[in-house]
């Protein structure tokens, strides 16, 4: 079954929380959050969704398969005049749906949405060194490595570099 990519709705709050908890529970997950650090309530998640829905330079997309959310992607535009043109992406895909094109579909939809806003001029993301599948996808979509934060993240008993990648929206991916 092919997921439908759509904007998140406040009614998706419980499913989004469950998706994040599922990802956080995976051994060796590459998220920048530890399971005990996620404390959002259902109401806080609804407020988060509403805030992104009403922001002209932000969005929250989900991949929906017959009513089950299997992935999500947030794009948060800068809140200050100097950074309103930059959107920061965050994505997560349920383990059973990885390597099936869901992440790519979300990323392509987010890039198209960002271009359509007329506000966003670039997209940024960070990815942990060693997350080769994600890095490969981002490069295929035109993101370029713009920086490396050495030993910026401590996970699984080791320090990991955080890679900063960017995509100027006025350039066509190669």
């Amino acid at each position: 079954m092919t997921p439908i990519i759509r904007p998140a709705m406040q009614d998706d709050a419980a499913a989004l929380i469950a998706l994040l908890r599922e990802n956080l529970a995976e051994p060796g997950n590459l998220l920048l959050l530890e399971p005990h650090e996620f404390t959002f309530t259902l109401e806080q998640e609804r407020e988060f969704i509403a805030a992104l829905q009403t922001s002209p330079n932000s969005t929250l997309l989900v991949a929906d398969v017959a009513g089950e959310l299997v992935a999500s992607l947030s794009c948060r535009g800068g809140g200050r005049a100097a950074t309103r043109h930059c959107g920061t992406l965050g994505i997560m895909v349920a383990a059973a749906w990885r390597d099936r094109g869901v992440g790519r579909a979300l990323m392509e939809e987010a890039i198209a949405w960002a271009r359509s806003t007329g506000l966003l001029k670039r997209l940024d993301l960070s990815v942990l060194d060693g997350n080769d599948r994600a890095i490969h996808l981002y490069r295929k979509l035109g993101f370029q490595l713009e920086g490396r934060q050495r030993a910026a993240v401590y996970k699984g008993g080791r320090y990991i570099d955080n890679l900063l990648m960017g995509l100027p929206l006025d350039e066509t991916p190669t």
Side-chain angles (χ1 to χ4, degrees):
M1 205 175 263
T2 303
I4 295 169
I5 306 301
R6 63 171 175 79
M9 300 174 291
Q10 289 184 39
D11 289 347
D12 293 322
L16 284 165
I17 288 172
L19 178 63
L20 179 55
R21 286 194 174 135
E22 176 186 321
N23 274 256
L24 288 171
E26 288 180 41
N29 78 68
L30 297 173
L31 300 174
L32 296 180
L33 186 66
E34 294 297 331
H36 70 276
E37 294 174 315
F38 180 68
T39 60
F40 255 35
T41 65
L42 190 57
E43 186 56 34
Q44 288 171 316
E45 184 70 11
R46 285 186 180 123
E47 290 171 6
F48 173 74
I49 295 167
L52 293 182
Q53 286 175 326
T54 59
S55 172
N57 64 348
S58 299
T59 194
L60 180 60
L61 301 173
V62 295
D64 183 327
V65 177
E68 177 188 357
L69 300 189
V70 299
S72 71
L73 179 148
S74 65
C75 177
R76 292 188 191 184
R80 300 184 187 276
T83 60
R84 291 186 61 77
H85 68 287
C86 298
T88 301
L89 301 179
I91 186 171
M92 66 178 163
V93 179
W97 286 89
R98 293 182 193 141
D99 296 319
R100 295 174 66 177
V102 176
R104 182 182 187 94
L106 275 169
M107 292 290 293
E108 287 174 344
E109 183 69 21
I111 292 166
W113 170 85
R115 285 190 168 120
S116 76
T117 66
L119 295 171
L120 293 172
K121 304 301 179 196
R122 67 174 282 122
L123 293 174
D124 299 312
L125 58 82
S126 66
V127 59
L128 296 183
D129 194 14
N131 190 349
D132 296 333
R133 290 185 308 191
I135 294 166
H136 178 74
L137 171 62
Y138 303 150
R139 284 194 168 133
K140 282 178 75 171
L141 293 171
F143 284 81
Q144 296 178 3
L145 181 64
E146 296 183 343
R148 175 182 295 269
Q149 297 171 306
R150 300 208 178 273
V153 176
Y154 185 78
K155 283 199 66 91
R158 64 188 182 99
Y159 292 96
I160 306 169
D161 291 356
N162 189 41
L163 307 180
L164 307 174
M165 300 183 81
L167 174 68
L169 293 174
D170 58 354
E171 296 178 14
T172 303
T174 55

